[in-house]
Structure formats: structure tokens, C-alpha cells
Amino acid sequence: MLVTAQQLQDERKSGDWVVFDCRFSLTDLHQGREAYLEAHIPGAWYLDLTHDLSGPVAAHGGRHPLPDVDLFAAKLSIAGVGPNTSVAVYDDGGGMATRAWWLLRYVGLDRVYVLDGGFAAWLAAGGETSREVPKPRPSTFEPRVRASGVVETREVEKVVQGEKHALLVDARAPERFRGDVEPLDPVAGHIPGARNALWSDNLTPDGYWLPADALRERFAPVVGAAGHDSAVVMYCGSGVTACANLFAMHLAGYDNAKLYAGSWSDWCSYAEHPVATGSDEHGTKSTSA
């Protein structure tokens, strides 16, 4: 699931690899593409969160709904991705690479790796950079959607109402979880019953992933609270950084986690949905969003 900068340098010389640059800023929508055009790993393609890793925004579904599977598969095909291609994704620490990792696995790819330490690690290892945008090398990628990895809004409603058992885990910063601030969505707070597990706590201060045993220790209480044969449902603001927690759980060896793709921005778009505030998982409930 992880590839080091040195491993990627070595593997790209001999294997069937496609690399995607996923750098993106939620506060400057052009920053990621501009950084890519300035310097990227040679041969890397760019995947934009808004235009490639997400679909059109509607009244419901969140700020970054999942993209149309066939359109996404067509973009992968143009980059040369086939069913047996090894794919590496990287960012600059913003949590976008794991969204790409999750989405690539969602459409059926198995050999998907995140560059440990991101673009900074590539530079630190002496990796070359390029400003050249690669030319299309069409392949044929037929998506095989793993729909079981996604939880829809109605299922989350059943969890909140006590009709279905699952543990909701919110990947946002604690102050957003508590409802103290909300810089992106119209309503502050969290889904009632959710726990908070900040996504960036899966990383070291310099942007490398924690060892598997440390991640296992971190998420053991979450898995235990979910209970045997019950799912852990990850969400965040719009289904992006929640994927970092999903990635961490996979690194830790846990396979019972799913994504609420619409996340908080979808949940709070329904006026009838209850909202919780406060620091514990139950918080103080209001009657609606």
C-alpha cells in the first residue's frame, strides 16, 4: 500500500507503472494544478480533486461526490492504466492521494500505492522533476465497482436512528467536530453518535505514515467499539480526508471500514437531519440541520 521514493524510482524503470499527482488545495482551487505544471515526477499525470476525483455538485451528495465511474475509467485508460497496472499516487500532505487511492480501488484496481512522504519525499530522495505533461498512451480499463465499500445517506440515517449498528468516525479537526467553527459547510457540528479521529494523526510531523503497529493501536478502540461483524463508517467534510483514515485502517490490517462519501456536507444538506455539538460522541443534539 505504501511505496517509498527510492522504490518508486527503481520500479518505474522496469515495471508497468502509472503515477498520478494529486496535489490540491481546498482554499485555492488552482494551486495544485499550477504546482504540477511547475514541477512533478516525470511521466506523472494530474488528477484534480474537483474535476477528476469528484462528480458534479448537486443539492445533496456533498461537496465532492464520487465521479461518474465510466468517465473516471476513461481518464485512467488515457493515462495507460490497465487491469494489471501498478499505480502510485502522491500529494503534498493535503490528504488528496488517499482519496485517489480509495477511488482507484473502488473502481477495481488492486495494485495501488501511496508515495510515503509525498512529493517532498521524492525531492528529498533526489528524484528528478519535469514540467512536461505526458502524452496519452491509451489502454483499456474496464471498471469493476466495489460498491460494498460505500455507505449511502439512508444507511447513516438508520445508524443514527438505532435501526442499524455501525460506528461513525469523523476525520475532521476537533474544533469542526465539536461545532466550534465551520469554515466550509453551512452547518457546524457532527453526526450524532460519531467519534472524532483526526486524519492527520496517522502521519508523522514530516508527513510519513505511522508504522502499522502504531496505527493498529490507534484504531483498536474504534474497531472494538464497533463490535464484531459491524462496520466502521468513515466520514469527514466531503469524503476526502476520511480516505486517509480508511487507508490507515488498511495499513493496520483492519478491513471492516467503509466510506460515507457524501460525509458531513451531505448530511447537513438535509434540514431534517439531527446535528450534535460538543466534544464527546453524543454531544448536544439539536432537532435539525
Side-chain angles (χ1 to χ4, degrees):
M1 293 173 55
L2 282 172
V3 61
T4 68
Q6 188 59 58
Q7 287 172 334
L8 185 57
Q9 289 185 48
D10 295 339
E11 291 289 341
R12 288 178 66 249
K13 296 175 183 177
S14 58
D16 179 20
W17 282 78
V18 173
V19 180
F20 289 109
D21 184 317
C22 307
R23 287 175 286 175
F24 188 86
S25 170
L26 292 173
T27 57
D28 183 347
L29 304 186
H30 303 290
Q31 185 182 79
R33 184 176 293 277
E34 290 172 356
Y36 167 80
L37 293 174
E38 182 64 28
H40 54 262
I41 294 176
W45 294 77
Y46 184 67
L47 287 178
D48 183 278
L49 174 62
T50 301
H51 301 293
D52 301 316
L53 301 178
S54 305
V57 176
H60 303 295
R63 285 183 281 109
H64 295 107
L66 298 183
D68 178 89
V69 168
D70 291 328
L71 288 178
F72 184 61
K75 293 175 182 179
L76 299 181
S77 296
I78 289 174
V81 175
N84 298 314
T85 303
S86 294
V87 177
V89 294
Y90 70 91
D91 58 24
D92 55 2
M96 304 300 154
T98 47
R99 165 74 171 216
W101 166 85
W102 183 90
L103 192 56
L104 288 162
R105 288 182 52 81
Y106 173 70
V107 297
L109 280 171
D110 293 316
R111 300 167 66 179
V112 187
Y113 305 87
V114 172
L115 175 59
D116 198 13
F119 191 56
W122 178 266
L123 296 176
E128 296 181 353
T129 64
S130 173
R131 300 182 66 177
E132 182 179 354
V133 176
K135 296 179 180 179
R137 49 173 193 170
S139 180
T140 300
F141 178 72
E142 297 290 343
R144 296 176 291 108
V145 175
R146 292 162 168 157
S148 61
V150 177
V151 173
E152 302 293 342
T153 308
R154 180 57 188 142
E155 295 178 77
V156 179
E157 291 174 345
K158 290 181 179 180
V159 173
V160 173
Q161 294 162 2
E163 299 174 13
K164 183 174 182 177
H165 186 67
L167 182 66
L168 299 167
V169 178
D170 189 319
R172 296 174 299 162
E175 60 270 22
R176 290 184 68 192
F177 175 81
R178 293 191 302 266
D180 299 343
V181 297
E182 182 45 65
L184 297 172
D185 295 308
V187 179
H190 60 268
I191 301 174
R195 293 191 175 196
N196 188 212
L198 178 61
W199 71 273
S200 57
D201 285 349
N202 299 312
L203 303 168
T204 65
D206 51 356
Y208 291 86
W209 288 85
L210 294 174
D213 56 351
L215 293 172
R216 195 172 301 115
E217 182 178 355
R218 183 186 189 209
F219 285 101
V222 170
V223 174
H228 185 63
D229 293 333
S230 292
V232 175
V233 177
M234 294 292 183
Y235 79 93
C236 55
S238 61
V240 177
T241 55
C243 295
N245 276 349
L246 288 165
F247 184 77
M249 286 195 68
H250 276 275
L251 279 177
Y254 298 121
D255 59 1
N256 63 332
K258 301 183 179 184
L259 176 67
Y260 173 26
S263 286
W264 176 249
S265 55
D266 173 62
W267 182 262
C268 72
S269 70
Y270 294 87
E272 68 273 17
H273 280 172
V275 171
T277 56
S279 58
D280 64 22
E281 59 263 36
H282 298 293
T284 302
K285 297 179 184 178
S286 63
T287 56
S288 68

